[in-house]
Amino acid sequence: MGFQFKYSVVWESVPILLVGVKLTLLLTFFGLFFGFFLGTAAGLGKTSKSRILNKIAGFYIESIRGTPLMVQVMFIYFGLPMALNTRIPPLVAGAVSIALNSGAYIAEIVRGAIQSIDKGQTEAGRSIGLTRFQALLYVIWPQAFKRMIPPWGNQFIISLKDTSLLVVIGVGELTRTGQEIIAVNFRAFEVWTSVALIYLVMTLSISKILIYT
Amino acid sequence: MIKIKELHKSFGSLKVLKGIDLHIKPGEVVVIIGPSGSGKSTLLRCINRLEETTSGTIIVDGYDINDTSTNINFIRSETGMVFQQFNLFPHMTALHNVTLGPVKVRKVSRTKAKKIGMELLNRVGLEDKANAYPDQLSGGQKQRVAIARSLALNPKAMLFDEPTSALDPELVGEVLEVMKTLATEGMTMVVVSHEMGFAREVADRAIFMDDGVIVEENTPETFFTHPQNERTKSFLKMVL
């Protein structure tokens, strides 16, 4: 007997998977929201004249970019609580991991965008008497911000997919939900196809929105 | 107004300025010419500390600009700077470019800044372009907005770093016209430029720089008709 694709499995799975989608989106939004602030701070630190800020930002960015997200998730959920003698809810650990991880990449986006603005802009700003901070705020940032939007969208898509790694700490997001359904009905092909298509719908939507910004 | 004493400036091992002494009186218009790499732009940029000096002193309006007690942002607002590449803020309208300084540095109200801004745009002949963005302006218009932006802070002196070098030939005139008016109104001006006509007509003094030193300075008339130094002579022969 050949393999038979059962559409009924898809129709039965999708409503359950959508519950996982909710969590996937929640993790992505929260992760990126805090990642944005973290990344902006680290990105500014990297462009700052202060050596200390520079070093701190550099250490953060390099250590996150240089280690796998999976290890970071494990470290935050299993490692840290052990050392601190507490427990962290999986959802919080997941959001923190996404925030820390995306923050490092967003930092590089921010740094790159700021450094891509012509030096003459800062000089013109300073020459009318603006302080360093004012020149950054009124002259550089608005121009750099525009250039950050496309790479941010890219990071949005990456982080959204990265949440699937949180299965390892038992967060019931989309991928985990798929696994759970398969554990019951053993229809791996139909369920993974559904999961993949749902991810695709989400990422393609982001791409589409980005084109219009 | 501006007193420069024994100014040296090096970029790493490259010595760009090798002992510059220069006094500029209030209301004086000084034109600096010289081959590229002679240090004339660097000299100008040292005057409002866009470049840090290596040694020597620069006094602007009585303030030693390298003294830690001097508020450099204040000094910069007192010396307007006009750049070769205009450096207008592309995300702001012409008017907003001009009002940014008054609002953020001088802390005047927006309404008042707008009034100052419109007056200045009017002065450079661009009041109808107040709401245009820089990329909707021609090079000459951009440079006139840039001049208005500097004037908005009511500076005591203006520094021009090759203000017409990036312009199409037919647009040079409109910028020089604005500068001439400024000069006749008594503005202290230091102009790095190769516009010999402007230098002859407007300048009180012409300076020739080469290899990091002032080689020759004189009234424009004598400077252009009877240059003394060999290097000045050969340079002028090439450009005139």
Side-chain angles (χ1 to χ4, degrees):
Chain A
M1 268 257 289
F3 177 78
Q4 274 268 315
F5 190 92
K6 283 195 187 166
Y7 285 97
S8 61
V9 173
V10 176
W11 307 134
E12 282 160 24
S13 306
V14 165
I16 310 167
L17 289 173
L18 286 180
V19 179
V21 165
K22 235 195 225 164
L23 227 71
T24 292
L25 289 176
L26 203 72
L27 282 163
T28 310
F29 283 126
F30 270 96
L32 280 178
F33 181 77
F34 291 107
F36 171 78
F37 287 104
L38 211 56
T40 304
L44 291 177
K46 261 256 141 154
T47 57
S48 116
K49 267 194 168 176
S50 150
R51 281 185 79 118
I52 307 165
L53 286 180
N54 229 300
K55 281 262 153 62
I56 296 172
F59 175 77
Y60 163 61
I61 295 166
E62 295 306 332
S63 55
I64 293 292
R65 287 199 310 175
T67 54
L69 175 58
M70 180 82 98
V71 174
Q72 292 162 17
V73 172
M74 300 288 215
F75 180 81
I76 288 165
Y77 184 62
F78 297 112
L80 266 189
M82 194 176 189
L84 301 172
N85 200 19
T86 53
R87 286 180 58 91
I88 305 176
L91 213 55
V92 174
V96 169
S97 307
I98 297 296
L100 276 175
N101 189 268
S102 65
Y105 293 94
I106 290 171
E108 285 295 279
I109 293 171
V110 169
R111 182 194 59 77
I114 286 177
Q115 287 177 348
S116 77
I117 304 300
D118 182 48
K119 247 185 85 198
Q121 290 290 311
T122 309
E123 289 181 351
R126 299 303 305 273
S127 81
I128 56 171
L130 297 177
T131 62
R132 270 182 75 80
F133 180 71
Q134 284 177 321
L136 177 71
L137 189 62
Y138 302 122
V139 177
I140 303 303
W141 184 261
Q143 297 183 58
F145 189 83
K146 259 192 190 163
R147 297 189 186 179
M148 292 175 201
I149 293 171
W152 271 343
N154 205 24
Q155 185 58 45
F156 197 145
I157 291 172
I158 291 170
S159 288
L160 187 135
K161 293 187 296 174
D162 279 350
T163 56
S164 68
L165 273 175
L166 299 177
V167 289
V168 296
I169 58 170
V171 175
E173 41 63 65
L174 179 55
T175 303
R176 174 81 182 191
T177 312
Q179 273 186 342
E180 280 165 1
I181 295 171
I182 294 163
V184 176
N185 66 10
F186 303 108
R187 299 302 300 190
F189 190 76
E190 288 87 347
V191 175
W192 284 129
T193 303
S194 309
V195 168
L197 284 175
I198 293 174
Y199 273 115
L200 208 55
V201 167
M202 290 192 285
T203 52
L204 286 177
S205 310
I206 299 169
S207 304
K208 273 275 178 290
I209 292 167
L210 276 173
I211 290 169
Y212 291 110
T213 52
Chain B
M1 185 70 224
I2 300 168
K3 281 185 195 153
I4 300 167
K5 225 186 215 165
E6 263 305 295
L7 174 64
H8 289 259
K9 168 71 187 173
S10 309
F11 293 103
S13 61
L14 181 71
K15 292 190 175 109
V16 179
L17 298 178
K18 305 169 181 169
I20 302 281
D21 289 286
L22 183 63
H23 285 207
I24 294 162
K25 296 189 284 279
E28 196 178 13
V29 177
V30 175
V31 170
I32 304 174
I33 64 171
S36 61
S38 59
K40 44 195 199 313
S41 284
T42 307
L43 170 62
L44 209 62
R45 292 163 59 82
C46 282
I47 296 176
N48 69 351
R49 230 176 94 183
L50 283 180
E51 300 291 352
E52 300 285 340
T53 58
T54 306
S55 70
T57 55
I58 301 175
I59 313 276
V60 176
D61 194 27
Y63 297 94
D64 182 342
I65 66 158
N66 292 314
D67 194 321
T68 45
S69 67
T70 302
N71 180 351
I72 187 61
N73 297 319
F74 174 72
I75 296 298
R76 285 200 179 118
S77 71
E78 297 280 273
T79 48
M81 177 106 179
V82 175
F83 301 86
Q84 184 179 352
Q85 297 298 337
F86 329 126
N87 295 342
L88 285 184
F89 308 133
H91 57 300
M92 297 178 187
T93 61
L95 181 62
H96 195 178
N97 264 278
V98 179
T99 56
L100 184 70
V103 171
K104 300 300 175 193
V105 178
R106 295 279 189 254
K107 311 285 182 200
V108 308
S109 70
R110 265 171 213 284
T111 350
K112 198 171 164 217
K114 242 183 185 166
K115 210 175 135 245
I116 299 172
M118 285 312 292
E119 272 166 25
L120 283 166
L121 285 177
N122 186 22
R123 205 162 138 194
V124 298
L126 289 173
E127 68 276 30
D128 56 325
K129 296 285 183 192
N131 293 315
Y133 283 86
D135 60 10
Q136 298 166 316
L137 301 175
S138 72
Q141 291 171 333
K142 280 184 206 170
Q143 196 59 299
R144 280 143 69 197
V145 173
I147 293 172
R149 174 176 68 181
S150 290
L151 290 175
L153 292 130
N154 209 3
K156 298 213 166 85
M158 289 280 285
L159 311 172
F160 293 85
D161 189 3
E162 306 207 26
T164 57
S165 300
L167 296 177
D168 287 340
E170 78 269 24
L171 301 176
V172 169
E174 59 189 70
V175 172
L176 290 181
E177 215 41 60
V178 170
M179 289 170 64
K180 270 181 210 166
T181 318
L182 213 51
T184 52
E185 286 166 3
M187 176 62 80
T188 310
M189 293 164 69
V190 186
V191 185
V192 169
S193 175
H194 290 141
E195 295 296 333
M196 304 302 168
F198 173 82
R200 276 189 137 149
E201 198 181 328
V202 182
D204 299 304
R205 197 163 22 139
I207 288 175
F208 179 69
M209 270 182 79
D210 191 17
D211 202 22
V213 293
I214 292 176
V215 175
E216 184 166 353
E217 54 181 308
N218 219 322
T219 61
E221 200 44 47
T222 326
F223 182 89
F224 287 110
T225 48
H226 304 289
Q228 306 297 309
N229 188 286
E230 280 309 314
R231 278 189 284 175
T232 319
K233 277 183 201 169
S234 63
F235 180 80
L236 287 177
K237 209 176 279 169
M238 305 254 276
V239 294
L240 285 180

